[in-house]
C-alpha cells in the first residue's frame, strides 16, 4: 500500500462521510482481545470476541480487508511486547488495537506507572509506522466486590494511558466509561472475562471510537434471576472453587492459562461474517 492510497484519520476526525480507510487490522493483547468468554466454534481458536466483531464490520464495508489477531490469554505486558509487537509490525497493519497491562495491574504489588512505561514503549513502535493505534482503558470494577480494592490502581493506570494517547495521537477505547458492561450479566461465569453480550458492547464502543457507522444494536441481557442469600453464597463458593482457586494455584506455580496457546489468527486473512451477538449459532441451525 502506498502512502497516497489513503490518508489515515487523526483522533477526532469524522470518517463517516465515506468508507473507512483501513485495509489491514492487527489486534494485540491478552485474553480480552483473544475473545475468551465468547465461545464460537466457527471462529479460529473457538472464540469470537470484540475484535472479531469489529473486524466483521470493517471487512463488510471495504474490499481487500484482512484481519490478524495475535492475542494470547494470560499474557503479561512484558510478554505481549516481546512476543507480539515485532510480528504485528511485520504484518504492516494500518489499524492496530493494543490492550495490555490488565493481567499485571491485578497482581499484588504491581506499579501502574511501571506497567504504563512498558506500554508506552510499545505504542511508540506501533505509532511510528503511521498506523492508527487504538488503546483501551481498564474497566471500572467498583461494582465488583472481589475486584473493588483494585479500582484505584486501575484508575491510575488509565490516566497514564490517556496521557500516552495524547502524546502519540492514539484512539482511546474507553472501557472505564462503558457503563453498559458494569453488570454481572455481561460477564462470563468466571466473573473476570466478558461474555458474548459484553464483547458485543465493547465492539460497538470501539466502532464508535473509530467513527465507523454500523448496524450493531444493543443486546438486552436476561432479567436478573430471583435468588436468595443462601443461593447467592452457594454460587460464590462454586465460583471460588471453579475459577478463583485454579487462578491462585497458577500464580503460585508460575503458570499461565496461555502457556500452551498460540495466536488464533497469526496471519492477515479475510473475515468470516457471523450474525451479530448470540445469533451466530442460530444461523447454523444449532441450539442457542
Amino acid at each position: 500500500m502506498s502512502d497516497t492510497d489513503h490518508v489515515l484519520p487523526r483522533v477526532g476526525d469524522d470518517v463517516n462521510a465515506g468508507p473507512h480507510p483501513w485495509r489491514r487490522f492487527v489486534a494485540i493483547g491478552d485474553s480480552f482481545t483473544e475473545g475468551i468468554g465468547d465461545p464460537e466454534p466457527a471462529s479460529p481458536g473457538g472464540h469470537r470476541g470484540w475484535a472479531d466483531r469489529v473486524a466483521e464490520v470493517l471487512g463488510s464495508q471495504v474490499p481487500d480487508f484482512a484481519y490478524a489477531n495475535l492475542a494470547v490469554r494470560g499474557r503479561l505486558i512484558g510478554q505481549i511486547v516481546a512476543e507480539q509487537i515485532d510480528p504485528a509490525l511485520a504484518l504492516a497493519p494500518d489499524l492496530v488495537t493494543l490492550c495490555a497491562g490488565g493481567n499485571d495491574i491485578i497482581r499484588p504489588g504491581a506499579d501502574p506507572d511501571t506497567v504504563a512505561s512498558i506500554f508506552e514503549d510499545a505504542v511508540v513502535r506501533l505509532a511510528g509506522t503511521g498506523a492508527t493505534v487504538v488503546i483501551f482503558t481498564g474497566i471500572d470494577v467498583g461494582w465488583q466486590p472481589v475486584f473493588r480494592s483494585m479500582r484505584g490502581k486501575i484508575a491510575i493506570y488509565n490516566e497514564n494511558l490517556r496521557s500516552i494517547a495524547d502524546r502519540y495521537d492514539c484512539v482511546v477505547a474507553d472501557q472505564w466509561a462503558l457503563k453498559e458492561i458494569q453488570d454481572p450479566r455481561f460477564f462470563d461465569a468466571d466473573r473476570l472475562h466478558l461474555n458474548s453480550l459484553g464483547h458485543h458492547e465493547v465492539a460497538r464502543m470501539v466502532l464508535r471510537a473509530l467513527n465507523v457507522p454500523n448496524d450493531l444494536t444493543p443486546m438486552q441481557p436476561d432479567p436478573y434471576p430471583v435468588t436468595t442469600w443462601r443461593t447467592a453464597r452457594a454460587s460464590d463458593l462454586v465460583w471460588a472453587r471453579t475459577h478463583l482457586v485454579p487462578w491462585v494455584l497458577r500464580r503460585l506455580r508460575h503458570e499461565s492459562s496461555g502457556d500452551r496457546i498460540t495466536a488464533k489468527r497469526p496471519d492477515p486473512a479475510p473475515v468470516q461474517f457471523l450474525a451479530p451477538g448470540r445469533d451466530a449459532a442460530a444461523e447454523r441451525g444449532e441450539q442457542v
Side-chain angles (χ1 to χ4, degrees):
M1 181 182 301
S2 70
D3 293 337
T4 59
D5 283 342
H6 61 262
V7 177
L8 296 179
R10 295 173 61 84
V11 177
D13 285 353
D14 184 1
V15 299
N16 288 324
H20 71 76
W22 302 290
R23 298 298 184 275
R24 180 164 291 198
F25 166 32
V26 176
I28 302 170
D30 52 29
S31 58
F32 169 70
T33 301
E34 185 184 349
I36 301 303
D38 186 14
E40 173 48 63
S43 293
H47 298 276
R48 192 180 182 191
W50 67 266
D52 287 22
R53 295 163 185 267
V54 168
E56 291 166 20
V57 172
L58 297 178
S60 71
Q61 297 182 4
V62 296
D64 303 322
F65 182 84
Y67 159 56
N69 189 320
L70 307 182
V72 176
R73 68 197 74 171
R75 290 300 193 260
L76 299 172
I77 191 166
Q79 295 171 312
I80 291 171
V81 171
E83 299 170 4
Q84 298 178 29
I85 300 299
D86 281 340
L89 293 173
L91 299 177
D94 53 9
L95 174 65
V96 182
T97 58
L98 173 62
C99 184
N103 288 329
D104 300 81
I105 294 299
I106 65 175
R107 294 192 172 205
D111 178 6
D113 296 330
T114 300
V115 178
S117 177
I118 300 172
F119 189 99
E120 182 169 8
D121 290 341
V123 169
V124 168
R125 296 174 64 191
L126 295 169
T129 67
T132 299
V133 179
V134 181
I135 68 173
F136 290 74
T137 61
I139 296 172
D140 186 350
V141 295
W143 59 277
Q144 293 181 313
V146 174
F147 301 108
R148 187 176 296 145
S149 63
M150 305 174 189
R151 189 177 190 231
K153 192 159 59 171
I154 295 171
I156 293 172
Y157 186 55
N158 285 349
E159 287 307 300
N160 281 324
L161 296 185
R162 295 183 205 280
S163 296
I164 292 169
D166 285 342
R167 285 195 290 275
Y168 303 102
D169 201 20
C170 301
V171 176
V172 176
D174 194 358
Q175 291 191 100
W176 185 270
L178 191 60
K179 301 305 181 184
E180 291 87 344
I181 62 173
Q182 294 176 22
D183 181 326
R185 295 173 296 175
F186 287 80
F187 279 78
D188 193 32
D190 66 4
R191 305 184 184 180
L192 180 62
H193 297 101
L194 296 169
N195 59 19
S196 61
L197 294 174
H199 280 283
H200 179 85
E201 287 303 318
V202 170
R204 295 180 65 241
M205 179 265 289
V206 172
L207 292 166
R208 288 196 300 271
L210 291 171
N211 292 322
V212 173
N214 63 87
D215 59 1
L216 299 186
T217 58
M219 297 177 64
Q220 296 301 318
D222 295 331
Y224 280 106
V226 177
T227 186
T228 64
W229 182 91
R230 185 183 299 273
T231 301
R233 300 295 74 76
S235 176
D236 290 342
L237 290 174
V238 171
W239 168 78
R241 182 173 62 250
T242 305
H243 301 288
L244 180 60
V245 172
W247 184 86
V248 172
L249 291 176
R250 286 197 300 273
R251 299 289 78 75
L252 294 175
R253 297 167 181 162
H254 302 287
E255 297 175 349
S256 169
S257 58
D259 281 345
R260 287 166 289 278
I261 304 296
T262 57
K264 68 178 185 178
R265 293 180 65 102
D267 300 307
V271 180
Q272 177 181 0
F273 298 100
L274 300 174
R278 293 179 292 187
D279 297 334
E283 284 282 306
R284 299 192 304 273
E286 299 177 5
Q287 182 71 33
V288 178

